[in-house]
Amino acid sequence: MLNGYGGAMTLAVAGTLMQTPSPDRLTVIDAVVEVESAGTITAVHDRSTAEGAAAGRLALDSATERVELAPGTFLMPGLVDLHIHAPQWPQLGTGLDLPLERWLFDYTFPLEARYADTAFAATVWDDLVPSLLAMGTTTAVYFSSNHLEATTALAQACARHGQRALVGRVAMDHPEGTPDWYRDATAAAGVAASAASIEAIDTVGSPLVDPIITPRFTPACTDALLEGLSELAEASGVRIQTHCAESDWHCGYAADRFGTTDTVALDRFGLMRPRTVLAHSDHLTAGDMGLVSGHRAGVAHCPLSNAYFANAVFAVRRALAAGVGVGLGSDIAGGARPGLLGVCQDAVTVSRMLEDGVNPALEAAERGVPESRIDTVTAFWLATASGAAVLDLPVGLIEPGRRFDAIAVRSDRPGGAIRLWEGIDDEACSFEKVVRLATADDISHVWVDGTQRPSGEGRDQWAGP
Ligand code: GUN
Ligand code: FE
């Protein structure tokens, strides 16, 4: 990018930088972040030292674009949502009364089938993508529908609105696990359409958007489709996403069909690869966790959706101890909370319920799973640095060499959701309040790849939590 005089555009952002480089570490510094013209962070100056203050001043003076955040506005890494069903956006907030296997057939497949109409799809995408950006989701991992054109349109919408995204055409062909009006005609057709979708998304030509191979889950896919998609991943190097071991029903299905766990079955089909994103995965055995970490695959932990469909709480602490990469997912619309800051709070809440247990008829000592709790620092790390690590994308932390994907959150907006009290709220409390309480309205800035988003009309679109 060049400015009007032919010089390179650079960005300098000054403000209080809060981030979580590890699961139990919050850092807060008065920072100036320097970003070069292509969107890579070149320096983070700590203004608490004389040297850092001078370098920060110089960076601000020489930048072609300056943003000086007011005191009380916090600069943070953008949020990485590892699991979103884009076509389920119109369904958000409804239909959570049925178990997964009926919810799919009664509510979700009929809605997803409508994306055969590409104009309808484009209308939904043009609402969804800027809305999620305004909530701070700078990286989104999408299941699209089964349709090639609608999926290409989703990639185009992400490129146009400036959201970093992995976009996957959903492959599903099983004659019992899918309705005949919403499936790939044959396994070969499913593999061919998935390959065509990879090419179409690559043709969109956005550095922000990549394809991802997306077998829906084992019950919706024949062996031939799972094998074919694994070969496609091997040949193309494209990432994979699927649902894994989500519910009692899903696990029972895998046991009946494969005689083993869903995780082992996915591995036998060659789908457990580096950067594979496994949604939910609540019911992983210790052996399954070893498989996932050994292959450097990762889990999209979707705490709110799990409360409705999973029959269990995902044991984050146990998974991390086993070396499993974990990030957070909203699971729109199985989870009815689209903003990932809210999902951070859900992850904290369900971990506390797992630790204490929920059945008051049991003795306290019998009720829960000790040492299951996570706090807001770990939850935010999952939503940023750890989710980025699962995807192997250079985002999730504001440090030199990574892309500048960031949000700024106001803690002092009149009528806003956050109150900070002088002499009461230290840095750790301020961070906790931001993670637990901020709404999209409190997010004043969103940058992806060094550019402020959503541009123009998208900004005012969403006012919910
Ligand atoms: N398993 C297969 N499809 C889906 C889906 O759309 N949502 C959830 N939560 N689980 C699934
Ligand atoms: Fe899902």
Side-chain angles (χ1 to χ4, degrees):
M1 206 180 348
L2 298 178
N3 64 22
Y5 303 102
M9 304 276 288
T10 55
L11 167 69
V13 181
T16 307
L17 171 61
M18 288 181 156
Q19 57 182 347
T20 49
S22 62
D24 48 12
R25 186 153 157 258
L26 166 70
T27 62
V28 184
I29 62 169
D30 178 17
V32 177
V33 180
E34 272 190 272
V35 182
E36 52 88 35
S37 60
T40 297
I41 300 164
T42 48
V44 178
H45 305 291
D46 178 353
R47 292 197 287 189
S48 68
T49 68
E51 213 176 288
R57 189 70 261 156
L58 196 64
L60 282 167
D61 288 346
S62 58
T64 51
E65 187 190 347
R66 274 171 290 280
V67 178
E68 295 195 58
L69 300 173
T73 297
F74 300 113
L75 181 64
M76 305 169 96
L79 303 159
V80 178
D81 190 335
L82 289 186
H83 189 56
I84 301 164
H85 293 271
Q88 296 172 21
W89 182 236
Q91 194 182 344
L92 186 77
T94 64
L96 293 170
D97 55 316
L98 296 178
L100 174 64
E101 61 278 20
R102 286 192 51 209
W103 174 84
L104 285 168
F105 276 82
D106 286 17
Y107 300 133
T108 303
F109 292 157
L111 175 59
E112 291 194 14
R114 292 183 56 164
Y115 291 75
D117 176 351
T118 310
F120 169 67
T123 306
V124 175
W125 308 154
D126 272 338
D127 185 69
L128 169 69
V129 174
S131 297
L132 292 185
L133 272 168
M135 285 176 246
T137 300
T138 49
T139 298
V141 184
Y142 288 117
F143 275 59
S144 179
S145 71
N146 177 252
H147 309 98
L148 181 61
E149 291 79 13
T151 302
T152 311
L154 177 56
Q156 286 164 338
C158 295
R160 194 166 58 251
H161 294 286
Q163 186 177 50
R164 196 179 298 284
L166 296 170
V167 175
R169 189 202 78 98
V170 171
M172 44 194 279
D173 71 330
H174 200 287
E176 278 127 48
T178 61
D180 58 7
W181 38 265
Y182 184 51
R183 73 164 68 119
D184 295 316
T186 62
V191 175
S194 297
S197 183
I198 291 172
E199 203 178 315
I201 292 167
D202 284 343
T203 306
V204 170
S206 168
L208 297 178
V209 183
D210 277 322
I212 182 165
I213 294 168
T214 307
R216 185 170 204 121
F217 66 158
T218 51
C221 301
T222 60
D223 289 9
L225 180 61
L226 295 168
E227 280 157 14
L229 293 176
S230 160
E231 283 163 18
L232 182 61
E234 178 68 29
S236 63
V238 168
R239 292 176 182 80
I240 295 169
Q241 63 178 344
T242 191
H243 296 88
C244 177
E246 179 174 0
S247 67
D248 288 330
W249 170 81
H250 185 175
C251 293
Y253 175 91
D256 286 348
R257 175 165 155 198
F258 306 114
T260 184
T261 68
D262 199 43
T263 315
V264 169
L266 290 170
D267 186 35
R268 286 185 187 159
F269 286 110
L271 294 164
M272 198 71 72
R273 298 166 56 87
R275 311 187 302 179
T276 292
V277 182
L278 302 166
H280 306 285
S281 308
D282 304 81
H283 297 270
L284 297 186
T285 64
D288 291 338
M289 287 194 184
L291 263 185
V292 176
S293 66
H295 284 289
R296 286 180 291 122
V299 170
H301 170 34
C302 308
L304 185 58
S305 165
N306 290 347
Y308 289 90
F309 291 149
N311 319 108
V313 173
F314 176 68
V316 184
R317 290 272 301 272
R318 194 160 63 85
L320 293 175
V324 174
V326 182
L328 293 186
S330 60
D331 193 30
I332 293 165
R337 197 186 317 284
L340 215 61
L341 284 176
V343 174
C344 288
Q345 171 153 239
D346 291 333
V348 172
T349 305
V350 301
S351 78
R352 298 294 291 266
M353 297 179 88
L354 180 61
E355 181 165 300
D356 281 350
V358 295
N359 183 355
L362 297 176
E363 291 297 325
E366 308 289 304
R367 216 180 285 143
V369 182
E371 297 185 17
S372 293
R373 68 170 65 187
I374 62 168
D375 62 11
T376 49
V377 170
T378 302
F380 189 75
W381 171 79
L382 293 172
T384 54
S386 189
V390 168
L391 299 176
D392 191 26
L393 286 176
V395 297
L397 278 175
I398 312 273
E399 65 179 17
R402 296 203 190 217
R403 316 295 295 175
F404 187 62
D405 286 12
I407 60 176
V409 186
R410 282 191 69 176
S411 64
D412 57 356
R413 187 171 64 86
I418 305 167
R419 307 280 183 281
L420 297 185
W421 300 91
E422 209 163 324
I424 295 179
D425 286 316
D426 62 10
E427 287 170 344
C429 292
S430 303
F431 170 80
E432 198 173 355
K433 283 188 171 181
V434 165
V435 172
R436 285 189 191 276
L437 302 177
T439 68
D441 280 349
D442 302 306
I443 298 178
S444 59
H445 302 68
V446 178
W447 292 269
V448 178
D449 235 25
T451 301
Q452 213 175 315
R453 333 270 178 165
S455 50
E457 79 285 359
R459 265 233 59 80
D460 299 323
Q461 208 146 344
W462 179 267

